[in-house]
């Protein structure tokens, strides 16, 4: 098995969304802050353990990197996608509310099941949540647009005239401290 490929864990993704939604409040609790928290948590997890929190791929979009499938889950909760409409549990665990911004907030209807997470998952999620808390939309754009992996993928998207492009996991790894060594190990 190629260690750069991961299995997306849908149940863990839902628990991750609940974990974050329970910790971000007010204007910090919106699609943008949630997906950026996951992006930063995934980078931290990748740095420490060579894998992301729930195995999602990230795509470069106009306003920065986005965990692709998690974003589709959030769009389903917001009524903007039918991707996960067949999941009867989704509307029972997460709903939206008007948080005073142009993006809806997410109201968790229960706590996350912490049994889904390792200690490093929790630590990295908490660190990432702290990284996005209190940041404006533009501050988060600036933070993520400085990321080499996003820049390279976005350049490809623009060349193709596309609104998004998959961020190559190798590029994401190479943007990390000791990324080159990690990549060599994972491809061996």
């Amino acid at each position: 098995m190629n260690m750069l490929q991961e299995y997306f864990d849908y149940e863990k993704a839902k628990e991750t969304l609940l974990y974050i939604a329970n910790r971000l409040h007010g204007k910090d609790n919106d699609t943008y802050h949630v997906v950026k928290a996951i992006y930063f948590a995934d980078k931290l997890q990748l740095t420490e353990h060579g894998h992301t929190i729930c195995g999602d791929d990230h795509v470069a979009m106009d306003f920065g990197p986005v965990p692709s499938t998690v974003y589709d889950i959030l769009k389903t909760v917001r009524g903007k996608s039918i991707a996960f409409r067949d999941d009867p549990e989704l509307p029972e665990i997460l709903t939206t509310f008007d948080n005073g911004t142009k993006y809806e907030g997410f109201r968790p209807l229960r706590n996350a099941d912490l049994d889904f997470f390792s200690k490093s998952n929790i630590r990295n999620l908490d660190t990432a949540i702290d990284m996005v808390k209190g940041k404006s939309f533009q501050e988060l754009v600036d933070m993520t647009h400085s990321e080499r992996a996003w820049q390279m993928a976005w350049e490809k998207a623009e060349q193709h005239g596309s609104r998004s492009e998959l961020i190559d996991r190798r590029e994401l790894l190479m943007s990390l401290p000791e990324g080159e060594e990690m990549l060599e190990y994972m491809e061996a």
Side-chain angles (χ1 to χ4, degrees):
M1 180 179 134
N2 181 345
M3 292 180 72
L4 289 172
Q5 293 178 332
E6 293 188 62
Y7 167 76
F8 179 74
D9 187 336
Y10 177 67
E11 296 303 319
K12 189 171 185 179
K14 291 191 299 187
E15 298 304 322
T16 301
L17 289 171
L18 287 170
Y19 187 86
I20 293 169
N22 272 296
R23 284 159 179 76
L24 288 177
H25 304 287
K27 293 181 181 187
D28 289 344
N29 182 332
D30 63 17
T31 303
Y32 200 72
H33 283 77
V34 170
V35 297
K36 297 313 172 211
I38 292 173
Y39 173 74
F40 288 122
D42 279 348
K43 278 189 66 173
L44 292 166
Q45 193 73 24
L46 197 56
T47 299
E48 292 176 11
H49 300 286
H51 60 83
T52 60
I53 304 270
C54 54
D56 207 353
D57 288 318
H58 292 80
V59 294
M61 298 183 76
D62 316 19
F63 299 116
V66 174
S68 180
T69 309
V70 167
Y71 185 53
D72 287 339
I73 295 169
L74 290 174
K75 288 191 298 187
T76 301
V77 171
R78 293 173 51 220
K80 308 289 184 192
S81 172
I82 60 170
F84 295 98
R85 73 172 179 198
D86 292 336
D87 178 355
E89 183 188 38
L90 198 54
E92 296 174 7
I93 65 168
L94 197 61
T95 188
T96 60
F97 71 97
D98 181 357
N99 66 356
T101 71
K102 78 178 203 177
Y103 301 103
E104 296 155 303
F106 294 96
R107 178 170 290 120
L109 301 177
R110 68 168 172 79
N111 289 324
D113 181 348
L114 299 182
D115 289 340
F116 277 85
F117 303 108
S118 66
K119 289 179 183 176
S120 67
N121 289 161
I122 298 285
R123 182 182 62 254
N124 290 329
L125 283 166
D126 287 343
T127 299
I129 290 165
D130 288 342
M131 289 172 70
V132 303
K133 250 186 209 177
K135 298 278 191 296
S136 70
F137 178 86
Q138 190 58 52
E139 287 173 315
L140 290 174
V141 168
D142 293 343
M143 282 172 64
T144 58
H145 280 202
S146 69
E147 299 270 330
R148 177 179 180 254
W150 176 85
Q151 292 170 351
M152 294 187 74
W154 189 245
E155 187 177 305
K156 287 180 191 171
E158 288 181 322
Q159 289 170 358
H160 299 136
S162 176
R163 295 186 60 213
S164 67
E165 180 74 28
L166 181 67
I167 295 176
D168 185 318
R169 200 159 288 210
R170 286 170 184 79
E171 293 299 334
L172 193 54
L173 272 167
M174 293 300 288
S175 72
L176 302 172
E178 301 174 18
E180 192 171 329
E181 292 85 9
M182 288 176 67
L183 185 58
E184 286 176 17
Y185 170 76
M186 294 176 84
E187 289 184 325

